[in-house]
């Protein structure tokens, strides 16, 4: 078992088409979501929630995404519509991290949104620690109100990310990271 620091240093996103089965078991999904909800949360508001897309639920959601796409693209080919129908079926598991941030007497909305980002990141790291890979994506349907309605989001709710999870078909390549010299200053030096 690699130690925690090695895990954090080795995580990489793997694109949905390269995420294969088997996906996490029901117990592993519960474990992933427990870790995703263990994040800093000013005011203990739980300003996020999770929607699990697994099995047939992925294609049911895809049908709704494809219907909205077809409405906006009357000239779409059958192939394009099928691609939209498969959007959430590329990986064995997709978890939508939904931000429920809103106005609050004490806690800034910005901090509630950041907490949803932390939940998404914890989920991606937990997937990696369990031997899976993840990809945090949004794509067009995360920003289309008709899709959000069709997936059951309330009017004030937003998608922080659709976290795609599965087994990596091949080991991911490293990508360049910012040099610390470009992103770090030491105050007072
Ligand atoms: C909020 C958010 C939304 C994202 N949406 C997309 C997306 O729609 N499509 C995409 O290719 N990458 C998207 N990304 C980027 C990928 O998650 C990922 O950062 C990128 O592939 C680099 O991989 P890494 O995790 O190995 O650094 C998004 C990232 C964030 C934080």
């Amino acid at each position: 078992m690699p130690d925690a620091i090695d895990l954090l240093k080795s995580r990489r996103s793997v694109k949905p088409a390269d995420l294969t089965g088997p996906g996490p078991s029901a117990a592993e999904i519960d474990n992933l979501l427990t870790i995703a909800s263990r994040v800093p949360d000013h005011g203990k508001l739980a300003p996020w929630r999770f929607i699990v897309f697994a099995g047939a639920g992925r294609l049911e959601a895809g049908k709704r995404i494809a219907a909205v796409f077809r409405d906006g693209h009357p000239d779409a080919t059958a192939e394009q519509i099928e691609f939209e129908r498969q959007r959430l079926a590329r990986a064995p598991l997709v978890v939508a991290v939904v931000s429920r941030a809103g106005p609050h007497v004490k806690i800034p909305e910005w901090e509630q949104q950041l907490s949803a980002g932390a939940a998404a990141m914890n989920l991606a790291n937990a997937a990696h620690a369990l031997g899976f890979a993840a990809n945090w994506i949004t794509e067009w349907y995360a920003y289309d109100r008709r899709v959000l309605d069709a997936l059951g989001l309330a009017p004030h709710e937003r998608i922080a990310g659709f976290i795609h999870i599965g087994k990596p078909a091949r080991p991911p390549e490293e990508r360049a990271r910012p040099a610390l010299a470009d992103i770090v200053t030491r105050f007072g030096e």
Side-chain angles (χ1 to χ4, degrees), residues 11-13 135-139 160 175 177:
R11 185 206 59 80
R12 264 242 60 193
S13 294
N135 198 359
W136 175 351
I137 58 178
T138 41
E139 301 186 318
R175 76 167 173 93
R177 303 288 165 175

Side-chain angles (χ1 to χ4, degrees), residues 33-159:
L33 297 176
T34 301
I35 293 166
S37 58
R38 192 180 177 88
V39 288
D41 165 13
H42 194 177
K44 302 188 190 74
L45 301 176
W48 23 255
R49 67 183 181 95
F50 308 110
I51 306 174
V52 174
F53 299 94
R58 299 171 306 155
L59 275 186
E60 178 51 41
K63 251 170 40 192
R64 299 175 192 198
I65 293 171
V68 171
F69 178 81
R70 208 174 30 230
D71 258 13
H73 300 82
D75 299 332
T77 63
E79 202 182 342
Q80 288 171 318
I81 291 165
E82 180 57 16
F83 183 79
E84 297 301 335
R85 206 174 68 86
Q86 296 285 343
R87 275 280 180 191
L88 296 188
R90 291 171 289 180
L93 172 69
V94 178
V95 176
V97 177
V98 176
S99 167
R100 309 198 279 184
H104 186 277
V105 282
K106 186 162 163 264
I107 314 300
E109 202 165 329
W110 162 238
E111 295 188 7
Q112 298 174 47
Q113 291 171 346
L114 290 172
S115 185
M121 194 65 244
N122 252 21
L123 180 55
N125 275 325
H128 179 48
L130 275 182
F132 296 96
N135 198 359
W136 175 351
I137 58 178
T138 41
E139 301 186 318
W140 70 268
Y141 47 94
Y143 294 99
D144 189 296
R145 192 64 245 175
R146 291 161 303 171
V147 172
L148 302 187
D149 290 344
L151 297 182
L153 273 75
H156 70 283
E157 293 184 324
R158 301 179 69 179
I159 294 288

